[in-house]
Amino acid sequence: MAQQTIAVGSDHAGFKLKTRIKSLLNELGFLVLDLGTQDEISVDYPDYAKKVVKAIKRGDAENGILVCGSGIGMSIAANRHGGIRAALCSDKTDVELARKHNDANILVLAGRLISVYQARQCVKMFFSTKFEGGRHRRRVNKLG
């Protein structure tokens, strides 16, 4: 089986946490497609959300992770695109429900609001939890 590719992106406020998440993804055996930013110089978060969304839609990555200061901007920017279900999560329960009930395909994290430990737990839960389908499929299909 081919390794799963995960697209990651951040703005300047999420850069440090994104770097830590990339290391975890490598430890977990994923290929990482880092779409920027590459430092803490101020950038516009919608540009990086769009890069991750495009990678998923093109099939270059199966899922994505976005990080900005609060996670809110990245969530809004990513969810503007059909077929994308970006979920801002701060703990394992958020992530579990986002995957099981909403079939989230992008995990969004708040680089300034959660610890590296919490982020690691969220990432692990994201990739160990599958969509339940069933009654949830009908609802997800309505999202477009």
Side-chain angles (χ1 to χ4, degrees):
M1 177 197 275
Q3 283 183 301
Q4 187 178 7
T5 300
I6 309 304
V8 298
S10 72
D11 67 359
H12 53 284
F15 173 73
K16 284 184 180 178
L17 184 58
K18 180 191 72 164
T19 301
R20 301 291 290 273
I21 289 167
K22 284 173 45 180
S23 296
L24 173 60
L25 291 171
N26 286 322
E27 288 172 28
L28 295 173
F30 295 105
L31 294 175
V32 177
L33 178 60
D34 185 347
L35 298 172
T37 193
Q38 302 306 327
D39 53 41
E40 294 180 90
I41 296 171
S42 183
V43 296
D44 299 332
Y45 63 84
D47 298 336
Y48 296 92
K50 191 172 189 177
K51 289 180 182 190
V52 169
V53 165
K54 283 186 173 185
I56 292 169
K57 290 184 141 228
R58 278 193 312 262
D60 295 339
E62 287 78 11
N63 290 292
I65 298 176
L66 290 168
V67 189
C68 68
S70 68
I72 296 168
M74 285 292 197
S75 297
I76 292 169
N79 281 319
R80 294 175 50 91
H81 303 273
I84 296 299
R85 295 168 305 282
L88 172 57
C89 299
S90 59
D91 61 38
K92 294 188 321 183
T93 302
D94 288 346
V95 178
E96 183 180 27
L97 293 172
R99 292 288 291 146
K100 283 183 174 181
H101 296 181
N102 308 116
D103 198 19
N105 53 10
I106 296 179
L107 172 62
V108 184
L109 299 169
R112 291 181 174 155
L113 302 176
I114 66 171
S115 69
V116 173
Y117 175 79
Q118 289 170 300
R120 288 177 60 91
Q121 295 303 307
C122 287
V123 169
K124 288 177 183 177
M125 182 63 76
F126 189 82
F127 293 108
S128 65
T129 305
K130 302 297 178 206
F131 180 51
E132 286 183 348
R135 71 184 191 277
H136 305 293
R137 170 64 56 205
R138 179 182 75 249
R139 296 166 185 153
V140 169
N141 287 343
K142 291 181 177 185
L143 296 173

